[in-house]
Amino acid sequence: MINSRLRFRFSDVSKSFDVLVLGSGIAGLSFALKAVQQGHTVAILTKKNKADSNTNWAQGGIAAVTSPEDDIEKHVQDTLIAGDGLCREKIVREIVADGPARVQELVDLGLKFAREANSEYDLGREGGHSARRILHVKDMTGKAIEDALLRAISREPKIALYEHLFGIDLITIGQGKNRRLQGLYALEVHDGRVITFRAPVIMLSTGGAGRVYQFSTNPEIATGDGIAMAFRAGAEIRNLEFIQFHPTSLFTQNNKRFLISEAVRGEGAVLRNLAGEAFMPRYHAQADLAPRDIVARAIDSEMKASGAPHVWLDITHRNATYLRKRFPKIYRTCKELGFDLAKDLLPVVPAAHYTCGGVATNLSGETDLRGLYACGEVACTGLHGANRLASNSLLEAVVIAHRAANSVTRYIAKHRNLASKPIPEWIDLGGTDEDERVVISHNWDELRRTMWDYVGIMRTTKRLERARTRIANLEREIHDYYRNFSVDPELLELRNMATVARLVISCALQRTESRGIHAITDFPKTRKRATDSRVRSSP
Ligand code: SIN
């Protein structure tokens, strides 16, 4: 049963569209633009403000082959190496090959990637890349992309954009292989009403689940909502144990972690332990520009060996004028927090950054639940494998969004008849129990700490099993609360995070090997044959 709060009688469907898009980052907005151009009625729903997305926070940029000194094959090989044997090579090849065309579309929308004096792109370099290939807008690439896409959306009167509408659950119809999507219940955040949307197609572009961890570079919205919703509706979730830890977030005394882009190491920054040693050459031939999993584990190992709460990042060989120009946001934020990039070593630690697994899709963003699509960090196409190559995520989002729009058009043409089928009604049980409400805030903290302590960079079976027991207890309490009281965004996010935490652990326990970002001391070797981990519910 997807949802224990439904009464099976005809519901007043408040709104009806061909396509609903959940989330307003690069994946959702790119897809919405393409879908409306194909003549569909489209609504975008976002749980906060339209610009509150993970995309907005992306610093590094978008990886694509645009330089004569680079080539597609090199980008493919870098992606495959980082993915540690688990990437789907066909998918990698198609996405990388499509990159330059999709990048050009962003340029056509008005995006101004940084250029050299000779007007060639000023390409950045990041870990695991064998060439300079990161198109960037200084260290605010995500924001520039988000702004350009939102401007384009505002020019499309046929796209309805709803802010502060929180998708609760997908509505499906039929049984077994005939199950298909029929719509969505969504919470109107400001007044607590639940609205029923009818739509034959839903695109999940809700981003990742970094906030399931105590320390994360992600914004607060990254609570894995789309993954949890898709799971409850019976879609396959794949390879969710691969949570990427970014090696360098600024260490502060509170829970907040500010990302220091890998592009800073791309411009020569060096990691040092507290003894001042540049330690990365001891771990990998590419030293500070080794793939992310290797750098994050090396930092973890240095910190454990010395008992230090952080390592240092050193870019003091660059002067202030250069750093202010190339990394304006990082420079300014560090300054506000008391660090001068040109003079001071920065204390840095790894933090949860990117969800490499997710809702399983093909190259067209189709999941195995008919009518349900997923694109961006919420999805698992097979591009990232066991460890995403830096800046490949924005690339994946634009390529899949493009292909999904064509697939959706074919799907809608075949399923026009869905509009007449009944939809079960949502029941509002009303009220909150203030005495029990404390369970929610307490459970938020406990869940994130459990994930950080037991399902982090270095794993053991024993710790994973401990985490499984704790999360199961939390999930029971949260579910009781969900069943008996009115829903609100905090409760819905917590419910989703608890589900995602359970799925991460379940996938991690399936993987009896170390591969990519999944490092487990009981199984230090990588198996010869790479297989996917999978979870699904039977609604
Ligand atoms: C970064 O700027 O280091 C992050 C880029 C990414 O995660 O792809």
Side-chain angles (χ1 to χ4, degrees):
M1 188 75 164
I2 296 176
N3 195 313
S4 48
R5 311 177 53 124
L6 304 180
R7 187 157 55 200
F8 284 84
R9 66 176 206 207
F10 285 95
S11 158
D12 286 337
V13 173
S14 318
K15 299 186 190 301
S16 208
F17 292 90
D18 293 334
V19 178
L20 289 187
V21 181
L22 304 193
S24 57
I26 183 170
L29 299 180
S30 306
F31 169 76
L33 281 174
K34 303 247 167 183
V36 83
Q37 279 154 16
Q38 303 224 4
H40 306 305
T41 54
V42 179
I44 303 172
L45 274 59
T46 174
K47 66 178 176 177
K48 291 255 166 97
N49 295 313
K50 59 190 175 196
D52 285 328
S53 68
N54 234 343
T55 300
N56 224 349
W57 285 39
Q59 295 180 358
I62 179 163
V65 174
T66 56
S67 150
E69 277 140 52
D70 194 7
D71 66 55
I72 297 284
E73 188 55 29
K74 276 202 220 161
H75 190 176
V76 166
Q77 289 307 324
D78 292 345
T79 303
L80 294 175
I81 291 168
D84 202 7
L86 199 64
C87 300
R88 298 190 169 198
E89 186 166 340
K90 180 172 177 307
I91 301 257
V92 173
R93 291 192 176 279
E94 299 252 5
I95 291 179
V96 168
D98 253 12
R102 303 285 79 82
V103 161
Q104 186 54 47
E105 285 177 354
L106 289 174
V107 173
D108 295 343
L109 282 182
L111 194 72
K112 291 191 169 40
F113 288 114
R115 290 184 185 266
E116 311 263 17
N118 62 6
S119 90
E120 297 294 325
Y121 286 126
D122 172 28
L123 298 171
R125 176 128 191 226
E126 291 179 359
H129 287 274
S130 59
R132 284 191 171 267
R133 68 168 69 98
I134 317 296
L135 293 127
H136 65 88
V137 184
K138 301 186 173 171
D139 58 358
M140 292 175 287
T141 312
K143 181 171 182 332
I145 292 178
E146 183 80 18
D147 289 350
L149 288 169
L150 282 174
R151 273 196 305 275
I153 294 280
S154 72
R155 293 192 291 267
E156 287 290 353
K158 289 205 177 131
I159 298 180
L161 200 157
Y162 297 97
E163 297 178 296
H164 307 287
L165 259 190
F166 196 129
I168 304 172
D169 264 315
L170 303 168
I171 305 169
T172 59
I173 187 171
Q175 299 293 325
K177 288 215 154 82
N178 291 324
R179 280 181 70 246
R180 61 184 76 248
L181 196 83
Q182 209 195 4
L184 173 87
Y185 300 109
L187 175 74
E188 166 64 74
V189 171
H190 290 318
D191 64 14
R193 264 182 321 139
V194 173
I195 300 178
T196 305
F197 282 83
R198 182 191 289 279
V201 166
I202 292 186
M203 167 58 84
L204 294 174
S205 43
T206 44
R211 282 285 170 161
V212 167
Y213 284 85
Q214 186 180 7
F215 300 111
S216 168
T217 61
N218 293 177
E220 282 173 9
I221 50 163
T223 50
D225 305 324
I227 297 170
M229 253 187 275
F231 174 74
R232 287 192 292 267
E236 181 181 302
I237 311 297
R238 197 192 288 153
N239 293 337
L240 207 56
E241 68 275 35
F242 296 109
I243 301 286
Q244 186 173 66
F245 291 82
H246 196 289
T248 55
S249 73
L250 193 67
F251 173 74
T252 57
Q253 294 301 338
N254 58 27
N255 274 0
K256 298 223 164 84
R257 291 289 179 260
F258 173 67
L259 178 69
I260 307 293
S261 174
E262 213 161 270
V264 176
R265 275 175 284 133
E267 300 307 331
V270 169
L271 285 159
R272 299 186 185 281
N273 56 26
L274 293 206
E277 179 205 5
F279 57 85
M280 273 314 298
R282 269 199 279 120
Y283 290 87
H284 196 270
Q286 283 174 288
D288 294 276
L289 286 176
R292 245 175 225 182
D293 58 326
I294 290 159
V295 183
R297 274 199 297 276
I299 294 174
D300 188 61
S301 153
E302 291 293 313
M303 283 165 54
K304 284 196 175 121
S306 66
H310 60 79
V311 294
W312 298 115
L313 185 68
D314 179 1
I315 185 136
T316 54
H317 66 286
R318 296 282 197 173
N319 66 37
T321 310
Y322 169 83
L323 291 169
R324 243 195 318 260
K325 184 155 180 276
R326 175 65 180 87
F327 301 112
K329 182 163 181 212
I330 296 173
Y331 187 88
R332 196 176 53 246
T333 307
C334 287
K335 198 75 184 218
E336 282 162 14
L337 293 169
F339 302 101
D340 182 339
L341 233 58
K343 294 192 189 128
D344 299 327
L345 303 185
L346 294 182
V348 291
V349 281
H353 181 63
Y354 194 87
T355 312
C356 294
V359 186
T361 77
N362 61 15
L363 255 180
S364 298
E366 297 162 359
T367 72
D368 60 357
L369 172 60
R370 290 201 241 168
L372 182 65
Y373 289 71
C375 178
E377 191 173 349
V378 65
C380 178
T381 60
L383 173 72
H384 307 314
N387 180 30
R388 179 184 62 108
L389 184 67
S391 289
N392 262 358
S393 40
L394 299 180
L395 168 72
E396 182 190 48
V398 283
V399 171
I400 302 294
H402 175 77
R403 290 172 177 239
N406 295 328
S407 159
V408 160
T409 299
R410 289 191 296 274
Y411 182 84
I412 289 177
K414 272 207 236 155
H415 297 95
R416 290 267 170 222
N417 64 335
L418 278 178
S420 57
K421 308 271 186 207
I423 287 188
E425 183 185 55
W426 175 270
I427 305 169
D428 188 357
L429 299 166
T432 51
D433 180 342
E434 288 311 323
D435 288 344
E436 288 298 307
R437 186 87 201 153
V438 67
V439 165
I440 295 185
S441 59
H442 177 83
N443 285 357
W444 268 80
D445 295 342
E446 189 173 341
L447 185 134
R448 289 169 164 166
R449 248 181 301 121
T450 301
M451 291 301 284
W452 184 260
D453 290 342
Y454 298 142
V455 195
I457 295 177
M458 286 306 303
R459 299 167 177 177
T460 68
T461 303
K462 200 164 155 193
R463 272 188 249 148
L464 290 175
E465 282 169 348
R466 281 205 174 125
R468 181 171 59 186
T469 308
R470 281 171 164 73
I471 298 293
N473 289 338
L474 293 178
E475 233 188 331
R476 249 192 311 277
E477 283 181 9
I478 294 162
H479 196 71
D480 276 354
Y481 203 96
Y482 171 80
R483 229 184 3 234
N484 294 317
F485 299 104
S486 281
V487 293
D488 63 30
E490 211 187 7
L491 173 61
L492 293 174
E493 283 184 336
L494 182 60
R495 173 182 180 236
N496 289 337
M497 290 206 304
T499 300
V500 171
R502 164 161 58 100
L503 302 184
V504 171
I505 296 164
S506 166
C507 287
L509 282 166
Q510 286 177 40
R511 192 164 292 286
T512 50
E513 62 169 351
S514 289
R515 182 185 294 278
I517 349 173
H518 176 73
I520 178 158
T521 47
D522 336 29
F523 302 104
K525 295 207 175 106
T526 305
R527 287 181 187 274
K528 271 211 184 85
R529 207 173 137 256
T531 52
D532 295 318
S533 61
R534 298 161 199 272
V535 272
R536 76 158 75 237
S537 68
S538 22

PDB file of all heavy atoms in Angstrom, residues 58-61 126 244 246 259-263 292 353-354 388-393, ligand 1:
ATOM      1  N   ALA A  58      25.785  24.674  -7.441  1.00  0.00           N
ATOM      2  CA  ALA A  58      26.910  24.032  -8.127  1.00  0.00           C
ATOM      3  C   ALA A  58      27.985  25.068  -8.445  1.00  0.00           C
ATOM      4  O   ALA A  58      27.699  26.101  -9.047  1.00  0.00           O
ATOM      5  CB  ALA A  58      26.424  23.353  -9.402  1.00  0.00           C
ATOM      6  N   GLN A  59      29.183  24.775  -8.038  1.00  0.00           N
ATOM      7  CA  GLN A  59      30.277  25.736  -8.257  1.00  0.00           C
ATOM      8  C   GLN A  59      31.077  25.400  -9.505  1.00  0.00           C
ATOM      9  O   GLN A  59      31.297  26.228 -10.376  1.00  0.00           O
ATOM     10  CB  GLN A  59      31.209  25.742  -7.044  1.00  0.00           C
ATOM     11  CG  GLN A  59      30.571  26.244  -5.776  1.00  0.00           C
ATOM     12  CD  GLN A  59      31.533  26.225  -4.594  1.00  0.00           C
ATOM     13  OE1 GLN A  59      32.677  25.801  -4.710  1.00  0.00           O
ATOM     14  NE2 GLN A  59      31.063  26.672  -3.448  1.00  0.00           N
ATOM     15  N   GLY A  60      31.530  24.138  -9.570  1.00  0.00           N
ATOM     16  CA  GLY A  60      32.540  23.749 -10.558  1.00  0.00           C
ATOM     17  C   GLY A  60      32.168  24.052 -11.990  1.00  0.00           C
ATOM     18  O   GLY A  60      32.783  24.874 -12.664  1.00  0.00           O
ATOM     19  N   GLY A  61      31.121  23.389 -12.510  1.00  0.00           N
ATOM     20  CA  GLY A  61      30.717  23.639 -13.885  1.00  0.00           C
ATOM     21  C   GLY A  61      30.151  22.416 -14.552  1.00  0.00           C
ATOM     22  O   GLY A  61      29.685  21.493 -13.903  1.00  0.00           O
ATOM     23  N   GLU A 126      39.249  19.445 -13.080  1.00  0.00           N
ATOM     24  CA  GLU A 126      38.848  18.872 -11.789  1.00  0.00           C
ATOM     25  C   GLU A 126      39.356  17.443 -11.684  1.00  0.00           C
ATOM     26  O   GLU A 126      39.842  16.873 -12.676  1.00  0.00           O
ATOM     27  CB  GLU A 126      37.317  18.918 -11.641  1.00  0.00           C
ATOM     28  CG  GLU A 126      36.806  20.358 -11.486  1.00  0.00           C
ATOM     29  CD  GLU A 126      35.299  20.473 -11.350  1.00  0.00           C
ATOM     30  OE1 GLU A 126      34.601  19.446 -11.385  1.00  0.00           O
ATOM     31  OE2 GLU A 126      34.827  21.612 -11.217  1.00  0.00           O
ATOM     32  N   GLN A 244      28.450  10.073  -2.769  1.00  0.00           N
ATOM     33  CA  GLN A 244      29.791  10.652  -2.970  1.00  0.00           C
ATOM     34  C   GLN A 244      30.091  11.707  -1.901  1.00  0.00           C
ATOM     35  O   GLN A 244      29.280  12.601  -1.663  1.00  0.00           O
ATOM     36  CB  GLN A 244      29.852  11.294  -4.344  1.00  0.00           C
ATOM     37  CG  GLN A 244      31.231  11.799  -4.699  1.00  0.00           C
ATOM     38  CD  GLN A 244      31.273  12.271  -6.151  1.00  0.00           C
ATOM     39  OE1 GLN A 244      30.626  13.251  -6.500  1.00  0.00           O
ATOM     40  NE2 GLN A 244      32.027  11.579  -6.965  1.00  0.00           N
ATOM     41  N   HIS A 246      32.345  14.774  -0.990  1.00  0.00           N
ATOM     42  CA  HIS A 246      33.272  15.738  -1.602  1.00  0.00           C
ATOM     43  C   HIS A 246      34.451  15.902  -0.651  1.00  0.00           C
ATOM     44  O   HIS A 246      34.258  16.072   0.551  1.00  0.00           O
ATOM     45  CB  HIS A 246      32.583  17.082  -1.829  1.00  0.00           C
ATOM     46  CG  HIS A 246      33.338  17.965  -2.779  1.00  0.00           C
ATOM     47  ND1 HIS A 246      34.533  18.552  -2.429  1.00  0.00           N
ATOM     48  CD2 HIS A 246      33.092  18.339  -4.053  1.00  0.00           C
ATOM     49  CE1 HIS A 246      34.977  19.261  -3.465  1.00  0.00           C
ATOM     50  NE2 HIS A 246      34.128  19.140  -4.461  1.00  0.00           N
ATOM     51  N   LEU A 259      31.086  24.295   0.446  1.00  0.00           N
ATOM     52  CA  LEU A 259      31.895  23.598  -0.553  1.00  0.00           C
ATOM     53  C   LEU A 259      33.071  24.455  -1.025  1.00  0.00           C
ATOM     54  O   LEU A 259      32.899  25.626  -1.362  1.00  0.00           O
ATOM     55  CB  LEU A 259      31.002  23.263  -1.754  1.00  0.00           C
ATOM     56  CG  LEU A 259      31.687  22.577  -2.936  1.00  0.00           C
ATOM     57  CD1 LEU A 259      32.107  21.162  -2.571  1.00  0.00           C
ATOM     58  CD2 LEU A 259      30.751  22.537  -4.147  1.00  0.00           C
ATOM     59  N   ILE A 260      34.251  23.856  -1.036  1.00  0.00           N
ATOM     60  CA  ILE A 260      35.395  24.496  -1.695  1.00  0.00           C
ATOM     61  C   ILE A 260      35.624  23.678  -2.971  1.00  0.00           C
ATOM     62  O   ILE A 260      36.135  22.558  -2.929  1.00  0.00           O
ATOM     63  CB  ILE A 260      36.672  24.464  -0.816  1.00  0.00           C
ATOM     64  CG1 ILE A 260      36.406  25.050   0.576  1.00  0.00           C
ATOM     65  CG2 ILE A 260      37.817  25.193  -1.526  1.00  0.00           C
ATOM     66  CD1 ILE A 260      36.113  26.526   0.619  1.00  0.00           C
ATOM     67  N   SER A 261      35.248  24.262  -4.092  1.00  0.00           N
ATOM     68  CA  SER A 261      35.213  23.536  -5.361  1.00  0.00           C
ATOM     69  C   SER A 261      36.537  22.826  -5.672  1.00  0.00           C
ATOM     70  O   SER A 261      37.625  23.328  -5.380  1.00  0.00           O
ATOM     71  CB  SER A 261      34.917  24.528  -6.491  1.00  0.00           C
ATOM     72  OG  SER A 261      35.015  23.877  -7.730  1.00  0.00           O
ATOM     73  N   GLU A 262      36.377  21.682  -6.328  1.00  0.00           N
ATOM     74  CA  GLU A 262      37.545  20.941  -6.784  1.00  0.00           C
ATOM     75  C   GLU A 262      38.351  21.774  -7.786  1.00  0.00           C
ATOM     76  O   GLU A 262      39.545  21.544  -7.994  1.00  0.00           O
ATOM     77  CB  GLU A 262      37.045  19.671  -7.460  1.00  0.00           C
ATOM     78  CG  GLU A 262      37.957  18.515  -7.278  1.00  0.00           C
ATOM     79  CD  GLU A 262      37.215  17.211  -7.545  1.00  0.00           C
ATOM     80  OE1 GLU A 262      36.651  16.661  -6.599  1.00  0.00           O
ATOM     81  OE2 GLU A 262      37.235  16.765  -8.690  1.00  0.00           O
ATOM     82  N   ALA A 263      37.669  22.726  -8.408  1.00  0.00           N
ATOM     83  CA  ALA A 263      38.362  23.599  -9.363  1.00  0.00           C
ATOM     84  C   ALA A 263      39.498  24.368  -8.671  1.00  0.00           C
ATOM     85  O   ALA A 263      40.462  24.781  -9.327  1.00  0.00           O
ATOM     86  CB  ALA A 263      37.370  24.579  -9.978  1.00  0.00           C
ATOM     87  N   ARG A 292      37.607  11.618  -6.859  1.00  0.00           N
ATOM     88  CA  ARG A 292      37.111  12.083  -5.566  1.00  0.00           C
ATOM     89  C   ARG A 292      37.112  11.045  -4.461  1.00  0.00           C
ATOM     90  O   ARG A 292      37.370  11.355  -3.297  1.00  0.00           O
ATOM     91  CB  ARG A 292      35.669  12.510  -5.758  1.00  0.00           C
ATOM     92  CG  ARG A 292      35.514  13.945  -5.546  1.00  0.00           C
ATOM     93  CD  ARG A 292      34.141  14.356  -5.852  1.00  0.00           C
ATOM     94  NE  ARG A 292      34.272  15.558  -6.650  1.00  0.00           N
ATOM     95  CZ  ARG A 292      33.263  16.255  -7.102  1.00  0.00           C
ATOM     96  NH1 ARG A 292      32.035  15.849  -6.868  1.00  0.00           N
ATOM     97  NH2 ARG A 292      33.474  17.334  -7.785  1.00  0.00           N
ATOM     98  N   HIS A 353      27.945  14.755  -0.602  1.00  0.00           N
ATOM     99  CA  HIS A 353      27.856  15.734  -1.688  1.00  0.00           C
ATOM    100  C   HIS A 353      26.913  15.315  -2.804  1.00  0.00           C
ATOM    101  O   HIS A 353      26.154  16.135  -3.310  1.00  0.00           O
ATOM    102  CB  HIS A 353      29.263  15.924  -2.259  1.00  0.00           C
ATOM    103  CG  HIS A 353      29.345  16.924  -3.363  1.00  0.00           C
ATOM    104  ND1 HIS A 353      29.055  18.251  -3.183  1.00  0.00           N
ATOM    105  CD2 HIS A 353      29.704  16.786  -4.668  1.00  0.00           C
ATOM    106  CE1 HIS A 353      29.226  18.911  -4.341  1.00  0.00           C
ATOM    107  NE2 HIS A 353      29.608  18.035  -5.255  1.00  0.00           N
ATOM    108  N   TYR A 354      26.960  14.052  -3.222  1.00  0.00           N
ATOM    109  CA  TYR A 354      26.206  13.677  -4.421  1.00  0.00           C
ATOM    110  C   TYR A 354      25.707  12.242  -4.315  1.00  0.00           C
ATOM    111  O   TYR A 354      26.436  11.342  -3.905  1.00  0.00           O
ATOM    112  CB  TYR A 354      27.096  13.811  -5.663  1.00  0.00           C
ATOM    113  CG  TYR A 354      26.286  13.770  -6.942  1.00  0.00           C
ATOM    114  CD1 TYR A 354      25.743  14.934  -7.460  1.00  0.00           C
ATOM    115  CD2 TYR A 354      26.031  12.566  -7.594  1.00  0.00           C
ATOM    116  CE1 TYR A 354      24.956  14.897  -8.612  1.00  0.00           C
ATOM    117  CE2 TYR A 354      25.254  12.527  -8.743  1.00  0.00           C
ATOM    118  CZ  TYR A 354      24.725  13.703  -9.247  1.00  0.00           C
ATOM    119  OH  TYR A 354      23.954  13.669 -10.383  1.00  0.00           O
ATOM    120  N   ARG A 388      30.912   9.255  -9.301  1.00  0.00           N
ATOM    121  CA  ARG A 388      30.701  10.226 -10.383  1.00  0.00           C
ATOM    122  C   ARG A 388      31.967  11.033 -10.668  1.00  0.00           C
ATOM    123  O   ARG A 388      32.628  11.521  -9.746  1.00  0.00           O
ATOM    124  CB  ARG A 388      29.585  11.185  -9.969  1.00  0.00           C
ATOM    125  CG  ARG A 388      29.277  12.248 -10.979  1.00  0.00           C
ATOM    126  CD  ARG A 388      28.227  13.175 -10.410  1.00  0.00           C
ATOM    127  NE  ARG A 388      28.732  13.817  -9.226  1.00  0.00           N
ATOM    128  CZ  ARG A 388      29.072  15.098  -9.163  1.00  0.00           C
ATOM    129  NH1 ARG A 388      28.964  15.877 -10.215  1.00  0.00           N
ATOM    130  NH2 ARG A 388      29.517  15.602  -8.037  1.00  0.00           N
ATOM    131  N   LEU A 389      32.266  11.193 -11.944  1.00  0.00           N
ATOM    132  CA  LEU A 389      33.340  12.095 -12.333  1.00  0.00           C
ATOM    133  C   LEU A 389      32.845  13.535 -12.152  1.00  0.00           C
ATOM    134  O   LEU A 389      31.721  13.867 -12.537  1.00  0.00           O
ATOM    135  CB  LEU A 389      33.691  11.848 -13.804  1.00  0.00           C
ATOM    136  CG  LEU A 389      34.873  12.641 -14.370  1.00  0.00           C
ATOM    137  CD1 LEU A 389      36.192  12.213 -13.737  1.00  0.00           C
ATOM    138  CD2 LEU A 389      34.962  12.460 -15.891  1.00  0.00           C
ATOM    139  N   ALA A 390      33.695  14.368 -11.566  1.00  0.00           N
ATOM    140  CA  ALA A 390      33.312  15.753 -11.269  1.00  0.00           C
ATOM    141  C   ALA A 390      32.706  16.438 -12.485  1.00  0.00           C
ATOM    142  O   ALA A 390      33.179  16.267 -13.612  1.00  0.00           O
ATOM    143  CB  ALA A 390      34.545  16.529 -10.804  1.00  0.00           C
ATOM    144  N   SER A 391      31.642  17.193 -12.250  1.00  0.00           N
ATOM    145  CA  SER A 391      30.976  18.033 -13.258  1.00  0.00           C
ATOM    146  C   SER A 391      30.283  17.268 -14.374  1.00  0.00           C
ATOM    147  O   SER A 391      29.869  17.853 -15.359  1.00  0.00           O
ATOM    148  CB  SER A 391      31.951  19.080 -13.833  1.00  0.00           C
ATOM    149  OG  SER A 391      32.210  20.046 -12.837  1.00  0.00           O
ATOM    150  N   ASN A 392      30.146  15.945 -14.205  1.00  0.00           N
ATOM    151  CA  ASN A 392      29.374  15.170 -15.175  1.00  0.00           C
ATOM    152  C   ASN A 392      27.873  15.236 -14.888  1.00  0.00           C
ATOM    153  O   ASN A 392      27.080  14.789 -15.709  1.00  0.00           O
ATOM    154  CB  ASN A 392      29.793  13.684 -15.146  1.00  0.00           C
ATOM    155  CG  ASN A 392      30.788  13.355 -16.245  1.00  0.00           C
ATOM    156  OD1 ASN A 392      31.145  14.218 -17.050  1.00  0.00           O
ATOM    157  ND2 ASN A 392      31.258  12.119 -16.283  1.00  0.00           N
ATOM    158  N   SER A 393      27.500  15.775 -13.719  1.00  0.00           N
ATOM    159  CA  SER A 393      26.078  15.704 -13.364  1.00  0.00           C
ATOM    160  C   SER A 393      25.229  16.711 -14.131  1.00  0.00           C
ATOM    161  O   SER A 393      24.139  16.383 -14.593  1.00  0.00           O
ATOM    162  CB  SER A 393      25.899  15.914 -11.866  1.00  0.00           C
ATOM    163  OG  SER A 393      26.764  16.915 -11.421  1.00  0.00           O
TER     164      SER A 393
HETATM  165  C1  SIN B   1      32.997  21.128  -7.275  1.00  0.00           C
HETATM  166  O1  SIN B   1      32.937  22.264  -7.721  1.00  0.00           O
HETATM  167  O2  SIN B   1      33.988  20.656  -6.746  1.00  0.00           O
HETATM  168  C2  SIN B   1      31.780  20.277  -7.386  1.00  0.00           C
HETATM  169  C3  SIN B   1      31.549  19.932  -8.781  1.00  0.00           C
HETATM  170  C4  SIN B   1      30.799  18.650  -8.843  1.00  0.00           C
HETATM  171  O3  SIN B   1      30.401  18.119  -7.816  1.00  0.00           O
HETATM  172  O4  SIN B   1      30.638  18.140  -9.955  1.00  0.00           O
END
